[in-house]
Amino acid sequence: MITVHHLNDSRSQRVLWLLEELGLPYEIKHYQRDRATMLAPESLRQVHPLGKSPVITDGDVTVAESGAIVEYLIERYGNGRLAPAAGAPERLAYRYWLHFAEGSAMPPLLLKLVFMKIASTKVPFFIKPIVRGISAKVMSTLVDPNLKRQLDFMEGELGKSEWFAGKEFSAADIQMSFPLEAAAQRAGLDASRPRLMAFLKRIHSRPAYARALERGGPYSFAND
């Protein structure tokens, strides 16, 4: 039996969704973030040394990292579903977006979250202008331009096909869901990029997505 070690409001929601799309039986072990730090609890380190989610266990196998989990599940249980066939022209795009989601899309989103928190953190009044000034400078010169460039790129790519890896929905779209949901929540993704917003509406209307939400619990990113 596959067990998903699921942290609330996290990227592991994608793993639940993939399992629902594949129709695989699984169980969930729930973990809650520390309310003060918003980090995963120490108990996750008993599953994987880094103590982060998502992690799955499948018998004696433990797999961490979203992209690795997606590839493991598709290769072992997909039976040709949710991935272009080997050698198909779409296969390279599929692999690209699987890795783009975490390798390129997420770092600036995480930086934005970090510097937003820095700017709002309580500090002595005499250094507050310095802290906020540094945060604003990093956001305006590094983070926001990078986010805009990436969102423009993704918007353009969805002008070529309905889904990221071609005409057919695939696990690459599942992997891309979290950075786009996060961008809609805190990085300015809105109706000015209609293809990306339409993508969010399409994935949120999928029955398997709804089933994953029911099983996974509260997930604040499920908005479009």
Side-chain angles (χ1 to χ4, degrees):
M1 172 69 74
I2 297 167
T3 299
V4 181
H5 299 269
H6 176 56
L7 182 65
N8 64 301
D9 256 349
S10 79
R11 306 173 208 193
S12 61
Q13 187 65 36
R14 291 179 295 192
V15 178
L16 305 183
W17 177 21
L18 174 59
L19 288 165
E20 290 290 344
E21 291 281 359
L22 291 172
L24 297 176
Y26 65 96
E27 59 183 14
I28 302 174
K29 185 171 183 180
H30 291 271
Y31 300 81
Q32 296 296 314
R33 295 179 183 274
D34 183 282
R35 291 188 177 182
T37 66
M38 295 305 293
L39 297 177
E42 188 70 15
S43 55
L44 258 176
R45 293 189 65 185
Q46 298 174 16
V47 183
H48 187 276
L50 293 181
K52 296 181 179 181
S53 179
V55 181
I56 66 167
T57 50
D58 184 14
D60 295 331
V61 175
T62 299
V63 187
E65 290 293 337
S66 300
I69 293 170
V70 169
E71 289 194 277
Y72 171 82
L73 292 173
I74 290 294
E75 290 172 6
R76 182 159 185 177
Y77 298 108
N79 296 319
R81 295 170 293 170
L82 298 182
E90 297 84 3
R91 186 73 178 198
L92 182 58
Y94 167 81
R95 183 175 291 113
Y96 175 79
W97 292 109
L98 275 183
H99 294 280
F100 177 91
E102 292 295 324
S104 292
M106 283 307 300
L109 287 164
L110 289 171
L111 282 174
K112 189 171 184 73
L113 177 62
V114 167
F115 280 97
M116 287 171 62
K117 287 188 176 296
I118 289 173
S120 62
T121 298
K122 291 183 179 180
V123 295
F125 74 93
F126 54 89
I127 66 168
K128 185 179 294 185
I130 298 173
V131 171
R132 290 185 175 177
I134 292 173
S135 178
K137 187 68 173 177
V138 173
M139 294 275 266
S140 65
T141 61
L142 175 64
V143 178
D144 288 338
N146 197 6
L147 283 169
K148 180 183 184 304
R149 185 162 53 249
Q150 290 197 6
L151 290 172
D152 288 345
F153 169 63
M154 290 183 277
E155 176 77 6
E157 290 299 297
L158 280 183
K160 301 175 183 178
S161 59
E162 184 176 15
W163 300 105
F164 277 102
K167 295 180 181 179
E168 301 295 328
F169 172 79
S170 74
D173 300 297
I174 295 175
Q175 182 72 339
M176 284 297 297
S177 64
F178 188 82
L180 288 174
E181 288 172 330
Q185 186 177 86
R186 61 173 178 256
L189 175 55
D190 56 23
S192 65
R193 294 182 176 89
R195 295 184 187 115
L196 292 178
M197 295 305 292
F199 171 85
L200 289 177
K201 287 185 179 295
R202 287 197 299 276
I203 64 172
H204 292 164
S205 67
R206 293 184 71 86
Y209 186 98
R211 293 196 300 271
L213 285 181
E214 289 177 8
R215 292 200 61 181
Y219 178 68
S220 64
F221 295 93
N223 300 303
D224 50 48

